[in-house]
Amino acid sequence: MNCRNTAWRGLPGRNYRRKVAAVLSIALPLLVWRALDLLEEIINGPIKMSLDRWVITGTPATVLQVLIVAVLFLVTFGAANALAYPAKEMPLP
């Protein structure tokens, strides 16, 4: 099995747990921040998102915010799952 073609969760190596812990320590605060920001915007009024010069409001902004939260959740869950099961450090031959 070629290690270069495997997913980041299955890569063996000495720094594997350190890399996964770094991803988790970055993704978890970002997830909490984006989820609280989305909740605040839902409570206070219309959801908007600014991208440099453009401001997106309404349904596209809601979809974009939910997509960002979902991706951060999947990354956080994947990193936590990889830390919880050290057997995934060794891929099957």
Side-chain angles (χ1 to χ4, degrees):
M1 177 179 251
N2 188 356
C3 290
R4 292 182 185 159
N5 293 332
T6 57
W8 67 273
R9 289 178 26 182
L11 290 175
R14 292 177 24 202
N15 295 327
Y16 169 76
R17 292 184 70 79
R18 209 177 287 165
K19 291 175 187 175
V20 173
V23 168
L24 184 63
S25 65
I26 292 169
L28 188 60
L30 282 174
L31 174 64
V32 171
W33 170 58
R34 294 303 299 178
L36 288 176
D37 184 45
L38 178 62
L39 182 64
E40 179 186 354
E41 288 191 11
I42 289 172
I43 291 171
N44 289 336
I47 297 175
K48 62 181 185 289
M49 191 162 190
S50 59
L51 302 168
D52 197 26
R53 292 184 242 171
W54 303 283
V55 176
I56 302 171
T57 58
T59 306
T62 305
V63 170
L64 190 57
Q65 292 244 5
V66 169
L67 181 68
I68 291 169
V69 169
V71 167
L72 284 171
F73 175 76
L74 289 176
V75 169
T76 304
F77 183 74
N81 194 19
L83 274 180
Y85 299 107
K88 287 187 178 180
E89 291 182 20
M90 296 301 221
L92 295 174

